[in-house]
Amino acid sequence: MGQYKDIQVNIERRIGLITIHRPDRMNALAKSTFSELVDASLMLDADPDVRVVIFTGSGERAFSAGVDLKELNDDGRMVHPMGGPSRNLNEIVLEMTKPTIAAINGVAAGGGCELALACDIRIASSNARIGLPEAKVGMGANFGSAVLPRLILRGAALEMLFTGELLCAQDAYRVGLINHVIEPGEILEYAHELAIRIADNAPLSTQRMKAVATKGIDLPIAAALRLSVGPDLYNSEDRTEGARAFIEKRKPHFIGR
C-alpha cells in the first residue's frame, strides 16, 4: 500500500477505508489530494481482497470543503475538470466496480459534494451539510451538474445548483440524496456495519448489479435486461456455493469466483 500525505488508507474485514486527512483545511482537496485519491481508489478497486470501499473525512467538521481555493488562488489558472494529463477523480470513483459508500461526517461542499455524489450510497451525520456552492464563487460544478439531476428530482437539483446553498442532512435525506442520517461520532461505525453486510454477500453479484444498474439506467428496460456487463456470476463457483449453503441451511463462503 502506498504512502500518502493527504489521505489515510486502511483495509479491514474486506472493507477499504479512504480518509481525507487535512483537518486543518477542513479536508479541502489540493492537487496532491486528488492525485492520492485517484491512486488509492484504483488500488482498492483492483485488490481482490477488498469488496466495499468507504470514503470519509478526518474529524467531525468536514467530509471535504471542496477544492482548496487557497491553492487555486495561488496557482491562478485552472484546468478544465475533464482536461489535463490525469483522469478525473469523480469519474474514477463513479466507475469503480465495487460498491462505494460516502460517510459524510460534516460539510461536503463543492468537490467534496461531488465525491460523495460519485459514490453508490451516501450516509451523513445529523450535523452534516451538503451542496454545490460553485455559482457563488464563479466555478462550474461540472460533475455535479451532470450527476445530481440523475440522483434527485431535476427541479430540486437545479435549485441546489443555481442557489449554491448547502442542504442540512435532514433536507438532503428528504430529497433522496442521503440514504441514512446518523448521529455525529457514530457515522463511521454505521458505515462499517453497512459495508460488512454488503461484503458478506457474493462479490460477483454486487459487482454485476452495480454494472447493470449504472450502465442500464438510461436504457429502455428491454435493452437494460440484455446488457452483458460485469462478471458472469451465473456460472461461478459462488453461485454453486450459494445454492448449496441455502439447502444446507448454513452461511455461504464466497470466494469471488
Side-chain angles (χ1 to χ4, degrees), residues 4 32 51 58 73 81-82 84 86 88-89 117 134 138 145 156 185:
Y4 301 109
S32 57
R51 295 185 179 178
S58 182
N73 184 63
M82 299 305 292
S86 302
N88 180 272
L89 166 65
L117 296 181
E134 277 82 346
S145 298

Side-chain angles (χ1 to χ4, degrees), residues 4-8 18-37 56-72 74-75 105 107:
Y4 301 109
K5 176 174 67 73
D6 294 351
I7 68 173
Q8 297 173 341
I18 299 177
T19 305
I20 305 169
H21 188 60
R22 300 186 74 211
D24 57 320
R25 298 287 300 152
M26 291 189 69
N27 300 320
L29 304 170
K31 290 180 180 179
S32 57
T33 321
F34 278 110
S35 178
E36 291 181 5
L37 286 169
T56 194
S58 182
E60 295 186 10
R61 291 181 64 206
F63 174 77
S64 172
V67 173
D68 192 330
L69 293 179
K70 182 179 184 301
E71 180 187 65
L72 183 62
D74 291 342
D75 287 353
N105 53 304
V107 172

Side-chain angles (χ1 to χ4, degrees), residues 42-136:
L42 292 172
M43 181 267 293
L44 292 179
D45 202 36
D47 189 334
D49 291 328
V50 174
R51 295 185 179 178
V52 183
V53 178
I54 300 171
F55 292 85
T56 194
S58 182
E60 295 186 10
R61 291 181 64 206
F63 174 77
S64 172
V67 173
D68 192 330
L69 293 179
K70 182 179 184 301
E71 180 187 65
L72 183 62
N73 184 63
D74 291 342
D75 287 353
R77 190 170 178 81
M78 183 178 182
V79 177
H80 187 280
M82 299 305 292
S86 302
R87 285 189 63 197
N88 180 272
L89 166 65
N90 301 317
E91 183 182 30
I92 286 173
V93 175
L94 189 69
E95 294 179 352
M96 289 175 71
T97 61
K98 298 168 183 178
T100 55
I101 299 172
I104 305 169
N105 53 304
V107 172
C113 174
E114 290 183 317
L115 175 58
L117 296 181
C119 293
D120 302 316
I121 297 170
R122 285 162 293 282
I123 62 176
S125 61
S126 57
N127 64 341
R129 292 184 299 136
I130 183 168
L132 297 156
E134 277 82 346
K136 293 179 178 292

